[in-house]
Amino acid sequence: MTQPIIEFKNVAMQYGDTTVLKSIDLEIEQGKFYTLLGSSGSGKTTILRLMAGFLTPTSGDIYFKGQRINDVPPEKRQINTVFQNYALFPNMNVFENVSFGMVLKGKSKSDIKAKVSEMLALVKLSGYEDREISELSGGQQQRVAIARALANEPEVLVLDEPLSALDYKLRKTMQYELRDIQQRLGITFVFVTHDQEEALAMSDWIFVMHDGKILQNGTPVDIYDEPINHYVAEFIGESNIVPGVMRKDYVVSFAGKEFENVDAGMRPNEPVEVVLRPEDLDLVDEADGKLSVTIDDESFRGDYYEITAHDDDQNPWQIQATNSATIGKRYGLYFDPEDIHIMRLNESEEDFDARLEHYDEEEETADD
Amino acid sequence: MTKKRTINFSVPYYLWLVLFVIAPVILLIFESFTNLHGQFTLANYKSYFGSGTYLRMTFNSVFFAFIVTLITLAISYPMAFIMSRLKHAQFWLMLVILPTWVNLLLKAYAFIGLFAQKGTINDFLTFVGIGPQQIMFTNGAFMAVAAYLEIPFMIMPIFNSLVEMDQSLVNAARDLGATKWQTVWRVIVPLSMNGVRAGVQAVFIPTLSLFMITRLIGGNRVITLGTAIEEHFMVTQNWGMGSTIGVVLIVAMAITMYVTRDRKGGGKA
């Protein structure tokens, strides 16, 4: 396995009596797009500041390419930051901002000029060299901030909620562009956001954070399809979470019925939580459904209808449907066995991974 | 409706402006064109610009104000910088502001106690074997006291500009490879220039027109524009000439404001 470019070992961070990070272990590999996803106060920005060198961990070690960098000041790290409020120098124009790092390094004037135009072209701001920062829109300032950080040729670019101040459309555009820039330059991006949609759309690998801990990490598909617990399931997309019991391998009971599913490796009759994504549910005639529900409400969302309903056990259900439904009418709810996701109560990430690996192996041997 | 109300609220302000700013300036300009008998004349300006004494005095006055401003700035900037990074910054600022509540003459008399022939400083100099020195009525004493009096007015705007500065700009500079000193020099100092300009304005003009201090501490050896105005109004009773110097002072003020204006209009965050 290749050496991780950044590695956290048992990193904890405290301010006085407040613990912001509790024993974080993580590995960042070269050339990938990582996202730290969490609500405010989850500690995601603290991790970013530890990487950039603005904070020193209370305990634990941070490694950059195998070298311990706990006490290395930010200016000596090959990591650059795009700040949440852009932090462009208001007394300098675009050229001076982008060239700031290179001027400090004493690069030649022609090199600097070439690099600035290259970077501005990369962020689609060619010809903006002489503009003052105050003349730029929020989106343009964002691009200058990215150009300025990239002009230093960092090995890792860390981005602190860079898109949160932009409007919806611009945010979408910037998501694509950032992803594109990352893939073109092939450097590592560590992106911090509280927006799960953004995280799913952009990342190779997501760390879901809550309360100073990493709850789960994995590819966007893994995290969406197999959330480890209630919090992750709620945080990543809309979910229907109902209590259930795992009768035996591949059979789960909830809402008063038994269903075939694809999970295994749990104790017989173990209480679990069952997750069903609203977009995996189909409304059908009551006779064809696996579960009967009564429609409570629906709202039009442009490309789909968001429908709320309840079953006979009074569990609420959210359904995304392309067709409108009649309020108060009974329908059937249809879903496939693989749409049912099982979460064990209080399962740690290690146990979760171990169990998944275990029954993946079992399945493979069964297939043979 | 709303428009009418805004007009009503602004009346006291305009009244104040007319009564205490515009009217006195007009009176001053009018007075500067009259002689001792109340007749129109250009003689005051002629004698002001024609006499070496007045011009030398003006130059001296500007020169001293310049030096005092420089000393004040040299002391205030590092002080404001350190204060802005202390834990209880507002408390330290309070300590700087407190002396400004004490009457200026009281502070001047306190300095007489320090600087006099048998004052505290000379006692100390005698103790260490240097012997008593003439401190009172020297240019040095005048500049020291003037600088002391003006320091709070320089520290306050600089302190505010440093405190208001976005900490992420400092982080950004470090992030891009600037050492602590490079960050101070390339980011913090340029971004606090607005505070420095405000401080220079708040110190330079009042120093030009300082008067009692010149007599009490400087022993009338330093004649500032302020002292000259006072002499003409109170001693020689030549109001016309006093007003002329007053007009010169106003012009000097305008020039200072122009020189220290914010050149990069809209260059602020």
Side-chain angles (χ1 to χ4, degrees), chain A residues 49 52 54 73-75 79-81 83 85 87-92 100-101 103-104 132 134 148-149 152, chain B residues 166 168-180 182-183 186-187 190-191 264-269:
Chain A
R49 294 171 145 259
F54 302 128
E75 67 266 26
I79 301 172
N80 282 114
T81 308
F83 293 85
N85 59 356
L88 296 171
F89 305 121
N91 55 323
M92 304 177 195
F100 187 84
V103 171
L104 290 173
E132 294 298 330
S134 54
R148 183 180 70 174
N152 256 23
Chain B
D166 186 352
S168 66
L169 293 173
V170 176
N171 282 344
R174 295 294 299 278
D175 191 71
L176 293 165
T179 60
K180 277 183 183 165
Q182 285 172 322
T183 306
R186 286 174 182 268
V187 176
L191 286 177
K264 251 190 180 176
K268 282 172 71 179

Side-chain angles (χ1 to χ4, degrees), chain A residues 11-12 22 25 44 82 84 105 114 167 187 189 202 208 214 244 308 316 326-327 332-333 362-363:
Chain A
V11 172
K22 302 164 187 162
D25 287 295
K44 56 192 193 307
V82 175
Q84 184 168 14
K105 281 185 190 149
D167 64 59
I187 63 172
F189 274 35
M202 299 169 78
V208 184
I214 295 174
T308 53
T326 317
I327 293 173
L333 211 53
E362 269 181 8
E363 266 177 16

Side-chain angles (χ1 to χ4, degrees), chain B residues 21-258:
Chain B
V21 179
I22 297 173
V25 169
I26 290 171
L27 278 175
L28 193 75
I29 293 170
F30 177 76
E31 196 71 46
S32 73
F33 286 107
T34 50
N35 62 16
L36 284 170
H37 311 290
Q39 290 149 329
F40 177 83
T41 174
L42 288 172
N44 292 329
Y45 285 93
K46 257 183 217 151
S47 63
Y48 183 90
F49 289 106
S51 110
T53 324
Y54 278 123
L55 289 180
R56 202 172 328 114
M57 182 201 72
T58 311
F59 175 79
N60 275 339
S61 192
V62 169
F63 178 73
F64 274 108
F66 179 75
I67 297 291
V68 168
T69 308
L70 218 59
I71 295 171
T72 316
L73 180 62
I75 297 172
S76 302
Y77 197 94
M79 238 176 114
F81 185 83
I82 293 164
M83 277 165 54
S84 68
R85 265 138 189 84
L86 292 177
K87 220 175 176 183
H88 304 288
Q90 291 302 326
F91 168 76
W92 297 108
L93 184 68
M94 182 76 180
L95 287 190
V96 169
I97 293 172
L98 266 180
T100 64
W101 298 353
V102 177
N103 186 284
L104 185 142
L105 287 180
L106 272 181
K107 285 186 278 189
Y109 279 107
F111 271 101
I112 294 174
L114 285 172
F115 288 166
Q117 279 292 327
K118 293 199 171 8
T120 317
I121 291 178
N122 273 328
D123 280 353
F124 176 76
L125 290 178
T126 315
F127 176 74
V128 296
I130 297 169
Q133 304 286 323
Q134 177 65 39
I135 305 174
M136 282 298 286
F137 311 135
T138 59
N139 291 346
F142 167 70
M143 287 191 287
V145 175
Y148 166 79
L149 294 172
E150 304 292 1
I151 277 175
F153 302 103
M154 185 67 95
I155 287 183
M156 277 187 281
I158 297 176
F159 176 84
N160 285 335
S161 70
L162 288 171
V163 168
E164 281 163 17
M165 196 178 298
D166 186 352
Q167 184 59 32
S168 66
L169 293 173
V170 176
N171 282 344
R174 295 294 299 278
D175 191 71
L176 293 165
T179 60
K180 277 183 183 165
W181 283 110
Q182 285 172 322
T183 306
V184 169
W185 195 239
R186 286 174 182 268
V187 176
I188 298 179
V189 168
L191 286 177
S192 59
M193 278 325 274
N194 278 337
V196 172
R197 274 191 284 265
V200 167
Q201 286 169 2
V203 169
F204 186 77
I205 309 280
T207 309
L208 267 184
S209 54
L210 262 185
F211 61 97
M212 286 308 283
I213 304 301
T214 53
R215 189 170 314 149
L216 290 172
I217 307 287
N220 267 352
R221 282 148 57 104
V222 184
I223 309 280
T224 61
L225 289 175
T227 315
I229 295 171
E230 190 221 1
E231 296 281 319
H232 277 302
F233 274 89
M234 311 304 285
V235 184
T236 66
Q237 299 277 324
N238 186 350
W239 287 27
M241 197 61 218
S243 302
T244 305
I245 303 172
V247 171
V248 170
L249 200 57
I250 291 173
V251 172
M253 195 175 344
I255 292 171
T256 314
M257 299 291 277
Y258 180 77

